[in-house]
Amino acid sequence: MMKQGIFLWVILFCSIMASAQKITVAQDGSGDYKTVQAALDAVPAGNEKSVSIFIKKGIYREVVIVDARKNFVTLVGEDKEKTILSFDNHAGTRLTNGDTLNTWTCASFFVYGNDFHAENLTFENKAGFTAGQAVALRVEGNRASFKNCNIEGFQDVLFLSGSGVKHFFDNCYIEGTTDFIFGAATAVFRNCHIHGKKNSHVTAASTN
């Protein structure tokens, strides 16, 4: 019965993906857009249909935001080790407008939309060991899932900030230093390698 249920779920997922709008990102101009954010900006506000964004190999040095009005977005990288979404913000960074970044605003990649899925990607914050809080991935929306992804940095790498929401990580590699998996969400990690880069706490959950 369980195998039959999984099989039916796979059939449904494949059917949804087959009918999804498809966008390609490539830095060399061979795709629809050159940046990940430009592709996400093209997703209509209030989206209720699956949108699949394929990202070709490259290091995409940009802060990326999946808007709260843009649900059902899937990002698929060409190669997990060579498709890298990266930035180097950290808490205390002063922006040109005078604002100072904090834990909630210093991420390289933000997910506010619901039903987000990522696969074969590396999310990283390159601020470095001495930068303090430097989030690679902050997830606020509900039902986000990550498969075969790397999430890399140092302190406070993975911020699951949404209260009462749920997430799923499958076959992912997550590394950091101090309290590097934290937040108010509930998350399941299946077949994941969680690597502490120093002798400190791995998690600092604040679930209700």
Side-chain angles (χ1 to χ4, degrees), residues 67-122:
D67 192 285
R69 300 167 297 169
K70 301 185 178 186
N71 304 318
F72 306 107
V73 172
T74 293
L75 299 186
V76 179
E78 183 176 8
D79 183 320
K80 176 180 69 172
E81 305 299 340
K82 297 180 180 179
T83 310
I84 302 170
L85 311 180
S86 177
F87 211 72
D88 58 0
N89 278 337
H90 58 88
T93 298
R94 187 173 294 277
L95 303 178
T96 55
N97 64 2
D99 291 343
T100 300
L101 297 180
N102 56 40
T103 312
W104 294 80
T105 57
C106 72
S108 301
F109 197 101
F110 297 83
V111 180
Y112 295 107
N114 295 330
D115 300 288
F116 172 83
H117 178 70
E119 195 166 332
N120 300 336
L121 290 168
T122 291

Side-chain angles (χ1 to χ4, degrees), residues 6-185:
I6 293 173
F7 177 74
L8 292 174
W9 182 88
V10 170
I11 293 284
L12 176 63
F13 179 78
C14 291
S15 175
I16 291 171
M17 291 306 298
S19 62
Q21 176 188 352
K22 295 181 180 180
I23 298 171
T24 299
V25 178
Q27 291 178 323
D28 62 4
S30 61
D32 301 298
Y33 299 95
K34 290 185 176 181
T35 69
V36 178
Q37 189 61 60
L40 287 166
D41 290 343
V43 177
N47 176 62
E48 295 183 353
K49 296 182 179 180
S50 296
V51 177
S52 179
I53 300 175
F54 177 71
I55 307 172
K56 291 189 176 182
K57 289 182 286 188
I59 299 175
Y60 295 82
R61 192 180 184 280
E62 53 180 309
V63 174
V64 179
I65 301 172
V66 181
D67 192 285
R69 300 167 297 169
K70 301 185 178 186
N71 304 318
F72 306 107
V73 172
T74 293
L75 299 186
V76 179
E78 183 176 8
D79 183 320
K80 176 180 69 172
E81 305 299 340
K82 297 180 180 179
T83 310
I84 302 170
L85 311 180
S86 177
F87 211 72
D88 58 0
N89 278 337
H90 58 88
T93 298
R94 187 173 294 277
L95 303 178
T96 55
N97 64 2
D99 291 343
T100 300
L101 297 180
N102 56 40
T103 312
W104 294 80
T105 57
C106 72
S108 301
F109 197 101
F110 297 83
V111 180
Y112 295 107
N114 295 330
D115 300 288
F116 172 83
H117 178 70
E119 195 166 332
N120 300 336
L121 290 168
T122 291
F123 300 87
E124 72 174 10
N125 190 307
K126 295 287 285 184
F129 178 75
T130 60
Q133 295 175 314
V135 178
L137 175 62
R138 178 186 162 197
V139 186
E140 181 82 12
N142 198 11
R143 296 179 300 275
S145 59
F146 298 82
K147 182 177 181 180
N148 196 39
C149 289
N150 295 332
I151 304 165
E152 302 177 356
F154 291 89
Q155 183 175 344
D156 293 353
V157 172
L158 178 57
F159 188 9
L160 305 179
S161 58
S163 180
V165 301
K166 297 178 175 67
H167 308 307
F168 180 51
F169 294 82
D170 185 23
N171 194 37
C172 292
Y173 174 84
I174 305 164
E175 69 169 23
T177 54
T178 305
D179 298 341
F180 59 93
I181 301 174
F182 69 112

